[in-house]
Amino acid sequence: MWARTPFPRLALDGLLTPDPADREACASSAGALRRLAALSEQLTPDEAAAILYEAVRYLPMPAGAGVVGGPDAAMVQWLTRLLCMIERLDVPNLMPALARTGFRGVVDFLHALSTARSILTADWLPELIARTTDLGWGLFQEHVRDGDEAPDQPTATLFTLVEDLLGARAVNRRLQAALADGLPLIAIAARLVQVRTEGDTGPPLIVHFDATEMLGRFGLDSVRTALDGPQLPGEPDDLDVSWAGRRRHATVALRAVVASHAAGRRLPALPEGPPRRLGNRATVLRAPGAEVPDLRVTVAVLTPADASTEAGPPGPGLVGEQRERVILATLENSPMTRWLGSAARSWPLAARRWEIADPGDGRSYTHCVTALASTDEDAGFWRVQTPVLAGAAVRTGGDLPRPFLMADFEIGLWLTELGADRRPAGRRHDARPLPAALSLNEMDGMLTAMIATGLESASALFGRVLTSFDADPALNLHVRIGTPAGIDAVVDLGDLQRAGADGSRTVSLEHDFAFAPARDDASTLSGGWALALLGEMLLRSGYRRYEQRLLALRD
């Protein structure tokens, strides 16, 4: 294969292993690599693959200055050209050689892969991205574990490349998992402090650290906890690029952002919703006698957001038992179900598993239900036997390339006949609040879980139930809160101020939201939208000065 290049193998070895201190040798090496990149178009796909296996072992190449860069930039260019030529690639065979190149070698390869990905359509691409980003992420975590004694490596560049290949959502999940496994948040932050050298001989210095982005990635509570731990003494110095210096720089920047956040905290406002109102498209709870619950939260989701739901084919995808198994498994793993489990543990109730209530035609409609059932033997009527009902209806339709999924999730609570211990009271109450009323924290938790279910579970169902050419399509979400007797009957608001002794009470609130999985974070938006809805409900029901009380729910 090397015979197709203008260099004999031995000469090539010399050109691709220059002495980093020899500027002339590095310049020759960079020139040779740029020539190889230009000649790559003459190779067959199999020849390009064979040469790629060989080329990887020369990583990492020395860095260079100037507009066109040194051997490192030229090597990235060559690897990019080779990747674009290859039709068949034995990814597992490539990985050991890549792993031996070390931190900077993996960074250079990821750089080439990130550049080539936009034009690659090969079958091996997903596996290569998965394996190389796993390798890179492992190196990043290992570097964090090594603490302040770790060698100087381009950790911020590695992080950026992994995020470019996997997406922000996937990387943020990995960050949260790393934090749960014990990696120090401030040490992670130090690896994202950006350093640059001015000119060929200038000293390296700290040039950037996005503390606001870090706050968004980890959340306020995690950052506050990290800042409460032991800190390095002294003031930050942009010329101190040691890992201790970068930790100090990150700490000071995070403290400033947290302080600014605390001083300027505002209750989230309801965003302007999409122009199309979804409403509730299915009767989900189906309570005996069509009784209306004391508190109902409904979330309806359409994905893709611009899909037509007119009558048509059932939609390409799973049918029958396969469809039902996937839907039930998704529901069992939803935030809605986790909230039900939490409520069951704190109330004298037992959680039931999801089950099929109406299989529909097995292709386009599936209705599932669950409940929290009383553990009291003397619970006589259904309203105290199962005071919490939940349901989900999934409808699919359309055809390739644009099928749609409409999902309705609903929880209803019957609290009137429960006592303060949430056991059967043997009578109907008309107090305000009801003895079994939720705390504001419980209401926030339920509403957040329902919105998160709409965002996460509907997207999961779209990908698992339907066959579609869309990856993570945008969705429209409609939320409705219903409280026939008013929110102060079902939620204990005794510590809030209400304007006037009486007056009207809002019994329902509806709002529409737009969500793009590729851009938005479901967990962040769920909590923000829940607070915004609660604030609007309180405002319309006559309550005032509730903002700090709601914001405290996030502390």
Side-chain angles (χ1 to χ4, degrees):
M1 300 301 173
W2 292 99
R4 296 184 61 88
T5 73
F7 306 101
R9 177 63 180 269
L10 292 176
L12 197 64
D13 276 339
L15 283 167
L16 298 188
T17 55
D19 180 356
D22 187 336
R23 294 170 65 94
E24 184 176 342
C26 285
S28 297
S29 177
L33 285 164
R34 285 191 286 271
R35 177 64 175 159
L36 287 171
L39 291 172
S40 295
E41 295 181 0
Q42 302 176 19
L43 302 174
T44 68
D46 288 344
E47 289 170 341
I51 290 180
L52 178 72
Y53 299 131
E54 292 289 330
V56 162
R57 73 184 184 89
Y58 291 100
L59 292 171
M61 299 294 293
V67 176
V68 296
D72 57 340
M75 173 61 90
V76 168
Q77 181 185 3
W78 187 31
L79 293 176
T80 302
R81 293 282 185 90
L82 291 173
L83 286 168
C84 292
M85 294 289 298
I86 296 170
E87 294 178 357
R88 293 186 301 272
L89 183 66
D90 185 351
V91 175
N93 187 40
L94 176 68
M95 293 310 298
L98 181 59
R100 287 192 293 270
T101 66
F103 201 104
R104 292 177 184 269
V106 172
V107 168
D108 287 346
F109 189 87
L110 287 175
H111 193 173
L113 180 57
S114 177
T115 304
R117 183 186 58 167
S118 61
I119 58 175
L120 279 173
T121 58
D123 292 341
W124 47 260
L125 180 61
E127 183 184 6
L128 183 62
I129 289 176
R131 286 178 177 265
T132 54
T133 52
D134 281 349
L135 175 60
W137 188 253
L139 291 171
F140 182 86
Q141 292 188 95
E142 182 181 343
H143 196 279
V144 175
R145 291 191 188 96
D146 288 343
D148 292 343
E149 303 306 316
D152 185 20
Q153 298 287 13
T155 52
T157 301
L158 174 61
F159 183 92
T160 300
L161 289 169
V162 171
E163 185 170 53
D164 178 64
L165 289 164
L166 294 181
R169 293 175 66 201
V171 167
N172 286 343
R173 285 195 294 268
R174 292 187 181 215
L175 283 173
Q176 294 293 341
L179 203 62
D181 288 342
L183 284 189
L185 186 150
I186 301 299
I188 295 174
R191 270 65 185 175
L192 303 184
V193 173
Q194 296 180 18
V195 173
R196 185 175 65 215
T197 299
E198 296 293 342
D200 292 344
T201 59
L205 73 160
I206 293 172
V207 294
H208 182 67
F209 173 68
D210 195 336
T212 301
E213 182 181 80
M214 284 292 293
L215 191 67
R217 289 183 186 276
F218 287 106
L220 183 61
D221 289 345
S222 295
V223 172
R224 279 178 171 169
T225 300
L227 292 175
D228 288 340
Q231 305 297 330
L232 289 171
E235 295 297 321
D237 180 356
D238 289 348
L239 291 174
D240 182 3
V241 297
S242 67
W243 293 115
R246 297 187 213 190
R247 273 202 300 131
R248 188 180 292 110
H249 186 96
T251 299
V252 171
L254 286 170
R255 284 193 186 281
V257 168
V258 169
S260 174
H261 180 83
R265 292 178 74 192
R266 297 289 185 273
L267 195 66
L270 286 175
E272 182 178 347
R276 180 178 186 176
R277 296 186 63 82
L278 301 181
N280 187 20
R281 298 301 185 92
T283 303
V284 178
L285 291 184
R286 298 186 182 178
E291 286 203 28
V292 177
D294 300 307
L295 171 61
R296 184 203 308 254
V297 176
T298 305
V299 174
V301 185
L302 172 65
T303 182
D306 59 350
S308 170
T309 59
E310 299 297 327
L318 302 181
V319 300
E321 191 174 354
Q322 279 188 316
R323 171 189 173 98
E324 291 156 6
R325 280 201 304 266
V326 168
I327 291 174
L328 288 173
T330 303
L331 291 173
E332 288 288 354
N333 195 40
S334 67
M336 175 184 183
T337 303
R338 290 194 288 274
W339 183 88
L340 288 168
S342 175
R345 289 188 293 272
S346 59
W347 298 20
L349 300 173
R352 294 178 178 175
R353 294 187 66 82
W354 285 90
E355 60 185 31
I356 302 295
D358 182 356
D361 60 2
R363 294 179 179 275
S364 63
Y365 180 80
T366 307
H367 179 210
C368 308
V369 295
T370 187
L372 297 185
S374 175
T375 57
D376 280 72
E377 296 180 358
D378 58 349
F381 300 100
W382 74 265
R383 289 187 299 273
V384 292
Q385 289 175 347
T386 51
V388 181
L389 297 181
V394 178
R395 182 163 68 94
T396 53
D399 207 345
L400 290 173
R402 299 284 291 171
F404 73 86
L405 181 140
M406 171 73 76
D408 295 89
F409 308 95
E410 195 164 65
I411 284 182
L413 280 68
W414 281 262
L415 305 174
T416 306
E417 297 176 56
L418 301 180
D421 59 358
R422 291 167 176 166
R423 296 182 183 276
R427 57 172 293 231
R428 293 181 67 85
H429 297 281
D430 59 2
R432 190 179 295 275
L434 293 167
L438 278 66
S439 68
L440 197 55
N441 190 61
E442 288 176 318
M443 179 65 187
D444 171 55
M446 181 177 72
L447 186 55
T448 300
M450 288 297 291
I451 296 173
T453 297
L455 299 179
E456 298 174 11
S457 300
S459 295
L461 287 169
F462 182 86
R464 297 168 185 169
V465 172
L466 283 174
T467 299
S468 172
F469 296 153
D470 279 343
D472 288 338
L475 56 83
N476 282 356
L477 180 137
H478 178 87
V479 180
R480 183 181 187 276
I481 306 170
T483 58
I487 190 171
D488 56 344
V490 295
V491 180
D492 187 351
L493 304 174
D495 58 344
L496 298 181
Q497 297 181 19
R498 190 165 187 271
D502 205 344
S504 62
R505 291 177 170 86
T506 294
V507 298
S508 69
L509 177 66
E510 301 181 56
H511 198 77
D512 294 88
F513 302 88
F515 178 76
R519 178 196 65 209
D520 302 326
D521 180 71
S523 60
T524 301
L525 289 182
S526 299
W529 290 347
L531 283 189
L533 287 166
L534 283 175
E536 186 69 17
M537 196 97 180
L538 291 173
L539 177 68
R540 296 187 187 186
S541 298
Y543 287 89
R544 301 294 181 263
R545 300 182 182 178
Y546 50 79
E547 291 84 359
Q548 294 306 312
R549 177 70 178 85
L550 292 183
L551 287 171
L553 297 173
R554 295 292 179 269
D555 291 340

